[in-house]
Amino acid sequence: MSARLIDGNRIALEVMEEVRAGVGGLHAERGVVPGLATVLVGDDPASHVYVDMKNRDARELGLLSRQTTLSASTEEAELLALVRRLNAETDIHGILVQLPLPVQIGEDRVLQAIDPAKDVDGFHPVNAGRLATGALDVPVPCTPQGVVELLLRTGHDPSGKHCVVVGRSKIVGRPMASLLLRKGRGGDATVTVAHSRTPELGKVTRRADILIVAIGRPYAVTRDMVKPGAVVVDVGVNRIDDPSRKTGYRLVGDVAFEEVCEVASAITPVPGGVGPMTRALLMSNTLAAAWALTADGAAHQVRKPMEDAGAER
């Protein structure tokens, strides 16, 4: 068996075009331009790259993009004051504080300070709790939301399937399980959550019809851990040394891609799989927040094109 590639780049472009249309519709109907505020604290090179990409995406789709960059020595009180100001600004509908933050700043306190209605990352405890209880009208973390879109748009509906999620982080693993358990579109799955402390992990992963791996270790899932014909979604992004590359490294996933391709029916590559979807869903979440904040009950209008999207054409 040779697994079919699930092309995250192509599907992310589909989502982006739906967002572009939604931005135009919101402006035509309500005279509103969705606004995304990004906050970057410190000098982490990867964080700078990620924020630049998000701002570029926003501008290309017609969103207002506003970035604030603070020094690594910024105190928590200063960052919290900035978040409160952004909460109050009517032209800002989504707020994203790039993680990680410097050690002197409490990550949880900052995330909790963001207005839940503007929490386009879906990390606020209110939104996380509502998702865990099955709410449908709630901001969802972009990466697990992107995984669901990848599955649905390639004809791999989780409904009725046994999905195994490897990883229990609050960013991916936990919200991923909640999404798959929800009633309705993208849910209704039987879900098992495993992690790095799970004994005999391979016995658990081999039960999966759909295997979603976000454990943060390169090549953690090998061929013998995958049921023949399973769909495999690799969320991991790991940098490993590669002297043959000009950069001296390459990016690999949490799945041993080449060998798992021989048993899986479909698989996401790294890079080019889940990563592009995370950025696309951030734009979608910002648009949804703009609808919700400017007209009660209007948030469904941005979701409709995605709900109507069927299997891969």
Side-chain angles (χ1 to χ4, degrees), residues 83-106:
V83 169
R84 287 192 290 271
R85 289 196 298 273
L86 293 173
N87 285 341
E89 293 188 16
T90 57
D91 61 340
I92 293 299
H93 307 99
I95 301 170
L96 183 152
V97 178
Q98 183 66 38
L99 305 178
L101 293 170
V103 293
Q104 74 274 14
I105 298 175

Side-chain angles (χ1 to χ4, degrees), residues 32-297:
V32 172
V33 176
L36 174 64
T38 55
V39 180
L40 180 59
V41 185
D43 305 311
D44 179 70
S47 292
H48 277 268
V49 170
Y50 296 149
V51 170
D52 287 347
M53 293 169 69
K54 293 166 184 175
N55 289 328
R56 184 189 66 197
D57 290 341
R59 290 191 295 269
E60 288 180 353
L61 296 177
L63 283 74
L64 167 68
S65 175
R66 183 186 304 167
Q67 178 177 335
T68 303
T69 303
L70 303 174
S71 73
S73 61
T74 298
E75 293 298 327
E76 182 179 292
E78 181 181 350
L79 178 55
L80 291 173
L82 171 61
V83 169
R84 287 192 290 271
R85 289 196 298 273
L86 293 173
N87 285 341
E89 293 188 16
T90 57
D91 61 340
I92 293 299
H93 307 99
I95 301 170
L96 183 152
V97 178
Q98 183 66 38
L99 305 178
L101 293 170
V103 293
Q104 74 274 14
I105 298 175
E107 179 180 301
D108 287 344
R109 286 188 291 274
V110 172
L111 296 179
Q112 290 172 28
I114 297 172
D115 181 345
K118 295 187 177 186
D119 170 36
V120 288
D121 261 337
F123 295 158
H124 193 285
V126 168
N127 293 328
R130 293 187 64 229
L131 175 63
T133 58
L136 299 177
D137 59 336
V138 59
V140 176
C142 302
T143 298
Q145 194 176 4
V147 170
V148 168
E149 289 300 322
L150 283 177
L151 292 170
L152 291 174
R153 292 172 186 243
T154 53
H156 303 294
D157 192 334
S159 179
K161 303 293 196 312
H162 184 186
C163 298
V164 174
V165 179
V166 184
R168 53 181 170 175
S169 73
K170 66 182 180 182
I171 295 173
V172 181
R174 294 171 190 264
M176 186 80 255
S178 295
L179 269 180
L180 293 168
L181 285 169
R182 285 199 308 188
K183 294 181 179 180
R185 181 182 184 271
D188 295 318
T190 297
V191 181
T192 298
V193 178
H195 46 80
S196 59
R197 301 287 183 90
T198 300
E200 299 184 277
L201 181 60
K203 284 188 176 181
V204 179
T205 58
R206 278 194 297 273
R207 300 176 193 151
D209 302 310
I210 298 174
L211 178 60
I212 300 164
V213 187
I215 200 169
R217 292 205 317 258
Y219 308 137
V221 171
T222 52
R223 172 179 176 155
D224 61 305
M225 299 170 69
V226 178
K227 180 171 75 173
V231 176
V232 179
V233 179
D234 190 349
V235 182
V237 180
N238 307 285
R239 181 182 292 190
I240 65 171
D241 293 336
D242 186 347
S244 69
R245 301 286 183 95
K246 184 179 293 187
T247 58
Y249 67 87
R250 59 191 171 95
L251 298 179
V252 301
D254 291 351
V255 174
F257 180 82
E258 297 296 338
E259 60 183 78
V260 171
C261 275
E262 297 176 1
V263 294
S265 63
I267 190 170
T268 59
V270 176
V274 176
M277 294 298 294
T278 299
R279 290 164 47 201
L281 268 298
L282 173 64
M283 300 300 111
S284 179
N285 282 355
T286 303
L287 179 54
W291 276 111
L293 287 164
T294 56
D296 289 342

